[in-house]
Amino acid sequence: MLAYEIGTDDRVRSVSDGWTAFARTNGAGQLTAEAVVGQPLLGFVSGPETRHMYEIILDRVRRTQRLMRIPYRCDSPSIRRFMELSITPAQDGGIRFESRTVREESRQALSILNAA
């Protein structure tokens, strides 16, 4: 499981222990815990539509104080990862994100998904 938390200012305030190892394994070695903590969450989200979706989700979780679960995919060139993101409000106004792998499927590597 990978996890991170943001504060009321929507900046990343912590990441789980396996964060840096996962980033390196998946070709994003620059996204170490040290590089991510303290940065605005939306700075890591590409595209105006996806940023807008995150803004709506953050507002809803804070307003309702209810957990949200969102299924998504996080593929690598040779693995299809079916994931679930749990978004939990914190008592101090922050939010915790936890991603867990539901299942994985191997596939022939797709060069288009290779970041290099």
Side-chain angles (χ1 to χ4, degrees):
M1 176 187 58
L2 289 177
Y4 56 96
E5 292 184 17
I6 61 170
T8 56
D9 60 357
D10 293 343
R11 290 182 176 271
V12 178
R13 64 181 176 193
S14 67
V15 298
S16 61
D17 290 338
W19 183 273
T20 298
F22 184 83
R24 286 187 180 134
T25 299
N26 290 280
Q30 75 280 11
L31 296 178
T32 63
E34 295 80 12
V36 171
V37 173
Q39 299 302 312
L41 173 66
L42 294 181
F44 299 103
V45 178
S46 357
E49 297 86 359
T50 306
R51 277 193 294 279
H52 183 66
M53 181 185 71
Y54 264 83
E55 290 168 346
I56 291 169
I57 290 168
L58 295 176
D59 177 64
R60 180 177 173 188
V61 168
R62 285 187 173 121
R63 189 173 29 81
T64 65
Q65 289 294 293
R66 298 180 90 177
L67 164 75
M68 282 186 73
R69 286 196 173 96
I70 300 172
Y72 71 101
R73 293 260 305 264
C74 181
D75 294 353
S76 74
S78 60
I79 299 172
R80 287 183 193 98
R81 287 190 198 94
F82 296 83
M83 310 279 292
E84 182 180 74
L85 179 62
S86 296
I87 307 168
T88 308
Q91 290 184 358
D92 67 357
I95 295 178
R96 179 173 176 83
F97 297 81
E98 292 181 359
S99 288
R100 72 175 184 89
T101 303
V102 176
R103 77 177 194 277
E104 292 181 342
E105 296 175 357
S106 296
R107 66 163 170 217
Q108 183 176 356
L110 297 175
S111 60
I112 195 168
L113 296 178
N114 187 336

